[in-house]
Amino acid sequence: MPTLATNSRAKFDYDILKKFEAGIVLSGQEVKSVRAGNVSLKGAYATLHGEEVFLLNAHIGPYKKAGALLGYEPTRTRKLLLRRREIKELIGAIQSQGLTLIPMSLYTRGRRLKVELGLACGRKKYEKKEDKKHKIVHIKG
């Protein structure tokens, strides 16, 4: 299960309450580009439209060996594949509690590409500062 990309800011900016594993719908050249490591989850997030989940702002660069691709958009919206009961759980949590869906990592499981989503609550600035202080104390002590 090699990890192809991680969102390093996710654990710093958010408190992760629960994690989900989702499939991702990609074109053939996008899969090759992701496996080559040409992907970034920085600034990416997931949203719900009806009963479907979509990944926004995930940057997947064009595959170098594919040649010129007319109209290719690296940060296009991509559909995520989850079980229906997981989607219903997400709808309830996001609408009632105001939580956010953040992609944590992109990895392979067998031949498939998977996205680890975190159901998260945003942190305040002072919470981030306290977390940094505790990390510095543990490193020194």
Side-chain angles (χ1 to χ4, degrees), residues 12-139:
F12 180 71
D13 289 337
Y14 299 94
D15 287 324
I16 308 302
L17 305 175
K18 190 169 182 180
K19 294 182 181 179
F20 296 91
E21 181 181 74
I24 184 167
V25 177
L26 298 172
S27 67
Q29 64 96 15
E30 285 179 327
V31 172
K32 289 184 176 188
S33 182
V34 168
R35 290 183 192 270
N38 195 5
V39 62
S40 172
L41 295 176
K42 185 178 180 181
Y45 61 97
T47 61
L48 291 162
H49 292 287
E51 291 196 2
E52 294 181 330
V53 183
F54 293 95
L55 181 66
L56 289 89
N57 286 345
H59 186 277
I60 298 177
Y63 186 55
K64 305 262 189 287
K65 297 178 183 176
L69 298 169
L70 298 175
Y72 178 69
E73 190 178 338
T75 58
R76 73 176 178 87
T77 301
R78 295 170 176 91
K79 186 175 181 179
L80 297 177
L81 307 171
L82 287 159
R83 291 186 172 88
R84 184 160 294 162
R85 69 176 185 277
E86 291 176 333
I87 293 174
K88 292 204 184 283
E89 182 180 342
L90 288 173
I91 289 171
I94 289 172
Q95 288 178 350
S96 67
Q97 300 171 6
L99 300 177
T100 308
L101 257 174
I102 303 295
M104 307 287 290
S105 64
L106 185 71
Y107 56 92
T108 59
R109 174 163 294 185
R111 295 178 57 220
R112 311 248 187 237
L113 290 175
K114 300 289 183 176
V115 177
E116 183 181 38
L117 296 173
L119 191 59
C121 179
R123 284 186 177 177
K124 305 283 187 237
K125 192 172 185 176
Y126 64 86
E127 292 173 332
K128 294 178 193 179
K129 285 182 180 180
E130 283 184 28
D131 195 38
K132 268 188 176 178
K133 286 179 189 176
H134 290 297
K135 284 182 183 178
I136 291 171
V137 169
H138 290 319
I139 292 172

